[in-house]
Amino acid sequence: MSGKTFYLETFGCQMNAHDSEKVIGTLEQQGYQQVDNEEAADLLLYNTCSIRDKAEQKVFHRLNDYKKFARAGKRFGVLGCVAQQEGEKIFERAPYVSLVAGSASYRRLPELLQRMEAGEHRVTGLDDRQTEETFETDFTARKNPYRAYITIIEGCDKFCAYCVVPYTRGKERSRSAESVLEEARRIADMGYTEIQLLGQNVNSYRDPSGKKSFAELLAAVGQVPGIRRVRFTTSHPRDFTKDIVEVIDAVPTLCDHVHLPVQSGSTRVLRQMAREYTRDWYLERISWIKAARRPISLSTDIIVGFPGETPQEFEETITLLDEVQYDAVFAFKYSARPNTPALVMIDSLPEEEKSKRLQILLDRQKEIQRINYERHIGEVVEVMVEGYQSAREQVSGRSSQNKPVNFTWAHPIAPAPGSYQKVRITRTFPNSLAGEAVQ
Ligand code: 5AD
Ligand code: SF4
C-alpha cells in the first residue's frame, strides 16, 4: 500500500457512531491518518447499518458508484452490520473490496489491517455470535466535542422477530463496571461533562465481576467528579427495573429522560414481535417513571404495519400514545430483514397503508408534543450549549430532558459551546423550545 490515509463514512445509530470513534483511534494507532474526502484517501471505509429499508442494497449501490476509486488503486473496507450480515457475498458483488468486518471483530482490526497491507485480498472479520469479548481501546478518537459515549454492553440476546441486531452485533456481553468507571474518569479528565452510556439493551447489563447492577453503575458514573449529565440508551421494557427510576431521583447528574421503546400498543402484536411483555407490563413501567419526583421525559420507538397488524391493533398504538404522552417518538414502517423470524410472516399490508398509518401516528404525536412543550412556557431550564443558529443570532443546545432549546442572550459574548446556561422559555414548538438566557 502506497500511503496510509483513510476516509471513513458512518451510517446508522449512536452505537455505530461510537464504534467509528474506536475504529478511527485504532487506525491512527496503526499509523493511519484520517482525511475528509475519498480522493485523498488510500483506504475507504464504510461503517454500515442494516436495521431497515433494504440497507444492504444501498451499500452495494454506493460501492458501485465508487468503483472509479478502485481503478485508482484505492482499497475498500466494509464494516458494521451490513458487513456482518452479507459477509463474503460482498466480495462477490464488489470484488475490489479487501476487508469485510462486523463490529464483534473490531478487536482484531490491527491484525486484519496488517493482513490487508501484506497484500491479502479478501480479509474478513466475521463472527457468528461466538465472541465473548468486548471491544475496548484507550485510543478512542472522540469526535463529538460535548458528549462522550461509553459502551457498557455489546450485542443483543433478545431476538425480537423483526430485528437484525442479534445477528449482526453478536451475543450480549457486558464490560466490567470498573473499566466503565475508569473510562468515565478519563473522559471527565479530558474536560467532558456529558456522558452517554450505550448498549443495544442497557438494562440487561451484567457486571462480569458481579459488583454492580445497571442502576448502581448509572449512579456511580453520575458521581464521577466533573460529570454533570449522564444519559443512557437503549432500554428494554422487559428488563427495565424500578431501581433505575430510584437512582434518577437520587443522583442529580442523571438526566430527566428515559427512552423506552414500546414498538406497538397491542399485546397481540407485541407477542408476535417476541417482545416478551404486554401493553399493561409496559404501562406499569411508565407509571413508575411518572411517579418519580423528577420530571422525567419519555420517548419511544414504534413500528407500524408489522405483519398482521389490524386497524384495531394500530389504533391501540395510537391510544397508547395518548395515554403515555411522550415527548418524542421515533416511528418506522415495518421493513422485512434477512434472517429474522418475521421474514416468514405474511407481510400483506400494502406500502400505502403502512405510510398512511405512519402519517396518522406522526400527526397525533405532533399534537401531543405541541401541548407537552407548551407547558414549559415561563420555566427556567438548564441548557448545555451545543452551537449557534442563523449567523450566531441564536444559541442552541439541549435540556436535561433532551429537548432542543434555542435562545438569545444579552451579553456581548455568546455562551461557549459545552457550557451550561439557564434559559427562560418564552416560545414553544412541537419539537423544540425557545427563550432567552437568564443571568
Ligand atoms: N423494521 C422497522 N423498524 C425496525 N426497527 C428495528 N428493526 C426494524 C424493522 N425491521 C426499529 C425499532 C427499533 C429501532 C432502533 O428501529 O423501532 O427500536
Ligand atoms: Fe433488536 Fe429487540 Fe435487541 Fe432492540 S432488543 S436490538 S429491537 S432484538
Side-chain angles (χ1 to χ4, degrees):
M1 202 144 131
S2 57
K4 284 188 91 165
T5 52
F6 73 99
Y7 167 83
L8 170 69
E9 205 169 326
T10 307
F11 304 87
C13 63
Q14 283 160 333
M15 291 287 274
N16 255 18
H18 183 46
D19 280 348
S20 282
E21 294 182 327
K22 296 197 247 183
V23 167
I24 292 167
T26 306
L27 275 132
E28 287 173 346
Q29 187 58 21
Q30 294 295 304
Y32 284 79
Q33 197 194 341
Q34 189 180 16
V35 292
D36 62 7
N37 65 81
E38 276 114 330
E39 278 83 5
D42 304 303
L43 173 63
L44 276 60
L45 295 172
Y46 296 100
N47 187 2
T48 59
C49 163
S50 61
I51 195 93
R52 285 179 293 272
D53 302 334
K54 305 191 173 77
E56 52 286 340
Q57 287 179 20
K58 287 185 202 152
V59 173
F60 286 122
H61 278 138
R62 180 102 180 175
L63 286 172
N64 212 25
D65 288 347
Y66 287 124
K67 242 192 209 154
K68 57 176 192 262
F69 292 126
R71 285 193 290 271
K74 298 181 192 297
R75 304 222 189 189
F76 286 79
V78 181
L79 307 176
C81 292
V82 175
Q84 180 62 44
Q85 181 185 298
E86 300 295 307
E88 309 215 346
K89 276 189 267 172
I90 294 176
F91 296 130
E92 308 304 325
R93 290 190 56 178
Y96 43 93
V97 169
S98 350
L99 171 70
V100 171
S103 63
S105 305
Y106 293 165
R107 221 177 42 264
R108 297 199 288 120
L109 261 184
E111 173 218 321
L112 302 177
L113 291 165
Q114 279 157 20
R115 280 169 43 199
M116 197 181 67
E117 285 169 26
E120 216 177 294
H121 287 303
R122 296 180 163 193
V123 180
T124 53
L126 300 169
D127 165 276
D128 257 340
R129 293 186 57 83
Q130 302 296 322
T131 303
E132 302 278 357
E133 292 161 54
T134 52
F135 174 41
E136 285 152 52
T137 165
D138 291 341
F139 306 113
T140 305
R142 301 215 169 259
K143 296 292 173 187
N144 185 318
Y146 321 115
R147 176 178 295 172
Y149 297 110
I150 302 183
T151 310
I152 63 165
I153 176 167
E154 295 178 27
C156 183
D157 287 350
K158 278 284 184 279
F159 291 95
C160 299
Y162 50 79
C163 187
V164 284
V165 169
Y167 312 93
T168 60
R169 286 191 168 270
K171 69 170 136 184
E172 257 176 22
R173 53 227 190 259
S174 297
R175 274 175 76 179
S176 78
E178 205 29 68
S179 102
V180 170
L181 282 166
E182 216 178 275
E183 190 171 350
R185 286 184 217 111
R186 235 180 309 130
I187 281 165
D189 288 344
M190 289 165 75
Y192 281 99
T193 59
E194 179 167 323
I195 286 178
Q196 180 154 359
L197 301 179
L198 294 178
Q200 227 62 52
N201 174 5
V202 289
N203 308 137
S204 67
Y205 175 81
R206 295 281 171 278
D207 182 3
S209 69
K211 288 195 189 124
K212 283 195 175 15
S213 67
F214 172 64
E216 287 164 342
L217 179 64
L218 201 54
V221 172
Q223 282 153 2
V224 168
I227 296 305
R228 289 182 64 164
R229 283 187 173 181
V230 181
R231 304 183 183 280
F232 56 96
T233 45
T234 286
S235 289
H236 191 295
R238 177 74 211 186
D239 302 322
F240 189 91
T241 47
K242 212 174 192 169
D243 55 356
I244 299 170
V245 182
E246 287 159 7
V247 297
I248 295 179
D249 260 343
V251 181
T253 52
L254 305 185
C255 286
D256 291 338
H257 175 216
V258 171
H259 181 66
L260 196 59
V262 66
Q263 312 300 0
S264 167
S266 149
T267 294
R268 194 200 69 87
V269 173
L270 289 170
R271 195 179 330 116
Q272 291 301 106
M273 288 178 165
R275 288 290 287 178
E276 300 179 349
Y277 56 85
T278 61
R279 178 188 174 104
D280 287 346
W281 169 284
Y282 181 85
L283 288 173
E284 189 183 9
R285 269 104 208 115
I286 294 293
S287 72
W288 297 342
I289 299 169
K290 288 192 171 175
R293 289 188 297 281
R294 290 172 62 179
I296 302 178
S297 173
L298 285 159
S299 60
T300 200
D301 292 346
I302 284 173
I303 297 177
V304 300
F306 187 76
E309 182 191 73
T310 65
Q312 294 74 22
E313 287 164 346
F314 169 66
E315 187 55 32
E316 288 184 68
T317 299
I318 299 290
T319 61
L320 184 107
L321 295 189
D322 289 341
E323 206 165 327
V324 178
Q325 302 272 310
Y326 296 103
D327 281 331
V329 169
F330 303 89
F332 314 98
K333 286 187 275 184
Y334 168 72
S335 96
R337 303 282 59 221
N339 307 322
T340 58
L343 195 59
V344 297
M345 298 179 189
I346 298 159
D347 179 15
S348 57
L349 266 190
E351 203 50 31
E352 307 83 77
E353 179 59 25
K354 289 185 193 167
S355 302
K356 207 172 109 199
R357 290 185 190 181
L358 182 64
Q359 199 52 51
I360 292 171
L361 185 141
L362 293 175
D363 288 346
R364 177 69 68 99
Q365 181 56 26
K366 191 170 175 191
E367 188 52 21
I368 292 171
Q369 279 177 224
R370 191 182 61 74
I371 295 166
N372 280 0
Y373 280 51
E374 259 174 22
R375 298 203 178 97
H376 290 288
I377 292 271
E379 253 179 39
V380 173
V381 299
E382 189 181 64
V383 177
M384 187 179 80
V385 175
E386 291 181 4
Y388 305 103
Q389 284 210 330
S390 50
R392 296 174 75 93
E393 274 168 18
Q394 282 204 0
V395 182
S396 58
R398 272 174 196 274
S399 68
S400 168
Q401 289 193 332
N402 209 32
K403 290 178 180 151
V405 183
N406 300 307
F407 63 94
T408 54
W409 72 100
H411 268 296
I413 303 164
S419 68
Y420 291 79
Q421 176 68 53
K422 292 252 187 321
V423 175
R424 185 179 319 282
I425 303 304
T426 54
R427 289 179 71 193
T428 65
F429 305 91
N431 282 305
S432 67
L433 306 172
E436 52 210 27
V438 292
Q439 303 313 321

